[in-house]
Amino acid sequence: LHHNTLTIGGKDFDCTGIATLEKVYDSPDNMGGLFDLTSMYGDRVRAVMRQVSVIDGSYLKIVDVVSASDNTDAEVYFNFTTREKVQLLEDCLVLTSSKGVKMRLDVSGDDVVFTQGIVRPEGVPDCLEKFYAPDGFNYVGYRYVVPKGSEKKIVTTLKRM
């Protein structure tokens, strides 16, 4: 994966916002950190937390917890780019490198729908424009909705097959 981001309510994050490192995980079975991304999404959500870890030195795990505002549902799109060949299966994505290495991307959480192709947010800021240029990249991701006043936890893993 070359780049990934959460688009919430049809808009990208505020690239002048600040992600706060809340916790560091520093053990052989979990190396990573927990980040508070809330300030990067303004009033579109109540809170956004993301944990990114390498588990057992062998795979990537991303845990997103999105809390919708009390006024509106939060439509979330996890968008990422890759130069690898992408195969969209019923329950996962398979990425195959030019050297034949295969990786499996799985997502657990309610009502997750995989998508393929670019999903361009409204009003992409200049600092993010380069990530939406399709030169040699495949765009994939998934969508889900967090009902207003509630919270949803989505776990994404990327493992070698």
PDB file of all heavy atoms in Angstrom, residues 108-127:
ATOM      1  N   SER A 108     -12.871  -6.647   9.187  1.00  0.00           N
ATOM      2  CA  SER A 108     -13.965  -7.127  10.029  1.00  0.00           C
ATOM      3  C   SER A 108     -14.703  -5.927  10.604  1.00  0.00           C
ATOM      4  O   SER A 108     -14.089  -4.952  11.023  1.00  0.00           O
ATOM      5  CB  SER A 108     -13.452  -8.037  11.148  1.00  0.00           C
ATOM      6  OG  SER A 108     -12.623  -7.318  12.029  1.00  0.00           O
ATOM      7  N   GLY A 109     -15.995  -5.998  10.563  1.00  0.00           N
ATOM      8  CA  GLY A 109     -16.855  -4.920  11.036  1.00  0.00           C
ATOM      9  C   GLY A 109     -18.192  -5.020  10.339  1.00  0.00           C
ATOM     10  O   GLY A 109     -18.320  -5.698   9.314  1.00  0.00           O
ATOM     11  N   ASP A 110     -19.179  -4.365  10.875  1.00  0.00           N
ATOM     12  CA  ASP A 110     -20.537  -4.434  10.330  1.00  0.00           C
ATOM     13  C   ASP A 110     -20.686  -3.637   9.041  1.00  0.00           C
ATOM     14  O   ASP A 110     -20.213  -2.509   8.950  1.00  0.00           O
ATOM     15  CB  ASP A 110     -21.547  -3.898  11.346  1.00  0.00           C
ATOM     16  CG  ASP A 110     -21.632  -4.754  12.595  1.00  0.00           C
ATOM     17  OD1 ASP A 110     -21.288  -5.948  12.501  1.00  0.00           O
ATOM     18  OD2 ASP A 110     -22.020  -4.226  13.646  1.00  0.00           O
ATOM     19  N   ASP A 111     -21.362  -4.242   8.070  1.00  0.00           N
ATOM     20  CA  ASP A 111     -21.810  -3.556   6.856  1.00  0.00           C
ATOM     21  C   ASP A 111     -20.689  -2.920   6.041  1.00  0.00           C
ATOM     22  O   ASP A 111     -20.856  -1.843   5.470  1.00  0.00           O
ATOM     23  CB  ASP A 111     -22.862  -2.496   7.201  1.00  0.00           C
ATOM     24  CG  ASP A 111     -24.042  -3.092   7.940  1.00  0.00           C
ATOM     25  OD1 ASP A 111     -24.472  -4.197   7.540  1.00  0.00           O
ATOM     26  OD2 ASP A 111     -24.520  -2.478   8.903  1.00  0.00           O
ATOM     27  N   VAL A 112     -19.536  -3.590   5.963  1.00  0.00           N
ATOM     28  CA  VAL A 112     -18.414  -3.091   5.156  1.00  0.00           C
ATOM     29  C   VAL A 112     -18.620  -3.550   3.713  1.00  0.00           C
ATOM     30  O   VAL A 112     -18.894  -4.711   3.452  1.00  0.00           O
ATOM     31  CB  VAL A 112     -17.072  -3.611   5.696  1.00  0.00           C
ATOM     32  CG1 VAL A 112     -15.933  -3.255   4.766  1.00  0.00           C
ATOM     33  CG2 VAL A 112     -16.823  -3.066   7.095  1.00  0.00           C
ATOM     34  N   VAL A 113     -18.470  -2.612   2.764  1.00  0.00           N
ATOM     35  CA  VAL A 113     -18.632  -2.910   1.341  1.00  0.00           C
ATOM     36  C   VAL A 113     -17.337  -2.516   0.629  1.00  0.00           C
ATOM     37  O   VAL A 113     -16.915  -1.355   0.684  1.00  0.00           O
ATOM     38  CB  VAL A 113     -19.819  -2.121   0.737  1.00  0.00           C
ATOM     39  CG1 VAL A 113     -19.928  -2.384  -0.753  1.00  0.00           C
ATOM     40  CG2 VAL A 113     -21.114  -2.474   1.450  1.00  0.00           C
ATOM     41  N   PHE A 114     -16.690  -3.479  -0.025  1.00  0.00           N
ATOM     42  CA  PHE A 114     -15.466  -3.195  -0.776  1.00  0.00           C
ATOM     43  C   PHE A 114     -15.802  -2.422  -2.044  1.00  0.00           C
ATOM     44  O   PHE A 114     -16.852  -2.631  -2.665  1.00  0.00           O
ATOM     45  CB  PHE A 114     -14.746  -4.492  -1.166  1.00  0.00           C
ATOM     46  CG  PHE A 114     -14.028  -5.140  -0.035  1.00  0.00           C
ATOM     47  CD1 PHE A 114     -14.551  -6.262   0.597  1.00  0.00           C
ATOM     48  CD2 PHE A 114     -12.822  -4.633   0.413  1.00  0.00           C
ATOM     49  CE1 PHE A 114     -13.883  -6.870   1.641  1.00  0.00           C
ATOM     50  CE2 PHE A 114     -12.148  -5.230   1.466  1.00  0.00           C
ATOM     51  CZ  PHE A 114     -12.682  -6.352   2.077  1.00  0.00           C
ATOM     52  N   THR A 115     -14.889  -1.548  -2.450  1.00  0.00           N
ATOM     53  CA  THR A 115     -15.038  -0.789  -3.687  1.00  0.00           C
ATOM     54  C   THR A 115     -13.728  -0.845  -4.462  1.00  0.00           C
ATOM     55  O   THR A 115     -12.667  -1.054  -3.895  1.00  0.00           O
ATOM     56  CB  THR A 115     -15.385   0.692  -3.411  1.00  0.00           C
ATOM     57  OG1 THR A 115     -14.330   1.272  -2.642  1.00  0.00           O
ATOM     58  CG2 THR A 115     -16.681   0.826  -2.670  1.00  0.00           C
ATOM     59  N   GLN A 116     -13.824  -0.661  -5.754  1.00  0.00           N
ATOM     60  CA  GLN A 116     -12.631  -0.625  -6.592  1.00  0.00           C
ATOM     61  C   GLN A 116     -12.755   0.564  -7.521  1.00  0.00           C
ATOM     62  O   GLN A 116     -13.837   0.887  -7.994  1.00  0.00           O
ATOM     63  CB  GLN A 116     -12.493  -1.912  -7.388  1.00  0.00           C
ATOM     64  CG  GLN A 116     -11.124  -2.093  -7.985  1.00  0.00           C
ATOM     65  CD  GLN A 116     -10.883  -3.542  -8.408  1.00  0.00           C
ATOM     66  OE1 GLN A 116     -11.755  -4.391  -8.357  1.00  0.00           O
ATOM     67  NE2 GLN A 116      -9.664  -3.814  -8.835  1.00  0.00           N
ATOM     68  N   GLY A 117     -11.659   1.243  -7.762  1.00  0.00           N
ATOM     69  CA  GLY A 117     -11.677   2.468  -8.559  1.00  0.00           C
ATOM     70  C   GLY A 117     -11.638   3.669  -7.644  1.00  0.00           C
ATOM     71  O   GLY A 117     -11.930   3.590  -6.455  1.00  0.00           O
ATOM     72  N   ILE A 118     -11.261   4.781  -8.200  1.00  0.00           N
ATOM     73  CA  ILE A 118     -11.074   5.977  -7.396  1.00  0.00           C
ATOM     74  C   ILE A 118     -12.415   6.526  -6.900  1.00  0.00           C
ATOM     75  O   ILE A 118     -13.391   6.572  -7.630  1.00  0.00           O
ATOM     76  CB  ILE A 118     -10.289   7.053  -8.185  1.00  0.00           C
ATOM     77  CG1 ILE A 118      -9.844   8.171  -7.266  1.00  0.00           C
ATOM     78  CG2 ILE A 118     -11.092   7.565  -9.355  1.00  0.00           C
ATOM     79  CD1 ILE A 118      -8.782   9.055  -7.886  1.00  0.00           C
ATOM     80  N   VAL A 119     -12.445   6.866  -5.638  1.00  0.00           N
ATOM     81  CA  VAL A 119     -13.577   7.570  -5.044  1.00  0.00           C
ATOM     82  C   VAL A 119     -13.010   8.895  -4.572  1.00  0.00           C
ATOM     83  O   VAL A 119     -12.320   8.970  -3.564  1.00  0.00           O
ATOM     84  CB  VAL A 119     -14.196   6.780  -3.870  1.00  0.00           C
ATOM     85  CG1 VAL A 119     -15.299   7.593  -3.218  1.00  0.00           C
ATOM     86  CG2 VAL A 119     -14.730   5.448  -4.363  1.00  0.00           C
ATOM     87  N   ARG A 120     -13.254   9.912  -5.353  1.00  0.00           N
ATOM     88  CA  ARG A 120     -12.645  11.214  -5.099  1.00  0.00           C
ATOM     89  C   ARG A 120     -13.524  12.049  -4.170  1.00  0.00           C
ATOM     90  O   ARG A 120     -14.678  12.306  -4.471  1.00  0.00           O
ATOM     91  CB  ARG A 120     -12.449  11.946  -6.419  1.00  0.00           C
ATOM     92  CG  ARG A 120     -11.683  13.232  -6.289  1.00  0.00           C
ATOM     93  CD  ARG A 120     -11.571  13.902  -7.667  1.00  0.00           C
ATOM     94  NE  ARG A 120     -10.941  15.188  -7.560  1.00  0.00           N
ATOM     95  CZ  ARG A 120      -9.630  15.366  -7.545  1.00  0.00           C
ATOM     96  NH1 ARG A 120      -8.832  14.342  -7.656  1.00  0.00           N
ATOM     97  NH2 ARG A 120      -9.130  16.579  -7.430  1.00  0.00           N
ATOM     98  N   PRO A 121     -12.962  12.467  -3.033  1.00  0.00           N
ATOM     99  CA  PRO A 121     -13.732  13.317  -2.129  1.00  0.00           C
ATOM    100  C   PRO A 121     -14.010  14.686  -2.735  1.00  0.00           C
ATOM    101  O   PRO A 121     -13.359  15.098  -3.695  1.00  0.00           O
ATOM    102  CB  PRO A 121     -12.818  13.466  -0.910  1.00  0.00           C
ATOM    103  CG  PRO A 121     -11.765  12.436  -1.068  1.00  0.00           C
ATOM    104  CD  PRO A 121     -11.649  12.146  -2.530  1.00  0.00           C
ATOM    105  N   GLU A 122     -14.952  15.404  -2.140  1.00  0.00           N
ATOM    106  CA  GLU A 122     -15.234  16.780  -2.548  1.00  0.00           C
ATOM    107  C   GLU A 122     -14.083  17.674  -2.116  1.00  0.00           C
ATOM    108  O   GLU A 122     -13.503  17.469  -1.057  1.00  0.00           O
ATOM    109  CB  GLU A 122     -16.495  17.290  -1.844  1.00  0.00           C
ATOM    110  CG  GLU A 122     -17.744  16.535  -2.166  1.00  0.00           C
ATOM    111  CD  GLU A 122     -18.891  16.985  -1.268  1.00  0.00           C
ATOM    112  OE1 GLU A 122     -18.801  18.057  -0.639  1.00  0.00           O
ATOM    113  OE2 GLU A 122     -19.873  16.240  -1.196  1.00  0.00           O
ATOM    114  N   GLY A 123     -13.771  18.670  -2.915  1.00  0.00           N
ATOM    115  CA  GLY A 123     -12.820  19.709  -2.526  1.00  0.00           C
ATOM    116  C   GLY A 123     -11.496  19.200  -2.005  1.00  0.00           C
ATOM    117  O   GLY A 123     -11.071  19.568  -0.908  1.00  0.00           O
ATOM    118  N   VAL A 124     -10.815  18.368  -2.765  1.00  0.00           N
ATOM    119  CA  VAL A 124      -9.520  17.833  -2.331  1.00  0.00           C
ATOM    120  C   VAL A 124      -8.537  18.990  -2.148  1.00  0.00           C
ATOM    121  O   VAL A 124      -8.312  19.780  -3.073  1.00  0.00           O
ATOM    122  CB  VAL A 124      -8.966  16.827  -3.364  1.00  0.00           C
ATOM    123  CG1 VAL A 124      -7.567  16.381  -2.988  1.00  0.00           C
ATOM    124  CG2 VAL A 124      -9.892  15.637  -3.506  1.00  0.00           C
ATOM    125  N   PRO A 125      -7.951  19.137  -0.954  1.00  0.00           N
ATOM    126  CA  PRO A 125      -6.983  20.217  -0.745  1.00  0.00           C
ATOM    127  C   PRO A 125      -5.717  19.989  -1.559  1.00  0.00           C
ATOM    128  O   PRO A 125      -5.377  18.853  -1.884  1.00  0.00           O
ATOM    129  CB  PRO A 125      -6.702  20.172   0.758  1.00  0.00           C
ATOM    130  CG  PRO A 125      -7.179  18.853   1.226  1.00  0.00           C
ATOM    131  CD  PRO A 125      -8.178  18.344   0.245  1.00  0.00           C
ATOM    132  N   ASP A 126      -5.025  21.072  -1.882  1.00  0.00           N
ATOM    133  CA  ASP A 126      -3.810  20.992  -2.697  1.00  0.00           C
ATOM    134  C   ASP A 126      -2.791  19.998  -2.134  1.00  0.00           C
ATOM    135  O   ASP A 126      -2.120  19.301  -2.887  1.00  0.00           O
ATOM    136  CB  ASP A 126      -3.157  22.369  -2.821  1.00  0.00           C
ATOM    137  CG  ASP A 126      -3.980  23.321  -3.673  1.00  0.00           C
ATOM    138  OD1 ASP A 126      -4.852  22.841  -4.435  1.00  0.00           O
ATOM    139  OD2 ASP A 126      -3.755  24.543  -3.583  1.00  0.00           O
ATOM    140  N   CYS A 127      -2.689  19.925  -0.807  1.00  0.00           N
ATOM    141  CA  CYS A 127      -1.684  19.051  -0.197  1.00  0.00           C
ATOM    142  C   CYS A 127      -1.967  17.572  -0.454  1.00  0.00           C
ATOM    143  O   CYS A 127      -1.085  16.733  -0.301  1.00  0.00           O
ATOM    144  CB  CYS A 127      -1.577  19.313   1.296  1.00  0.00           C
ATOM    145  SG  CYS A 127      -3.101  18.994   2.205  1.00  0.00           S
TER     146      CYS A 127
END
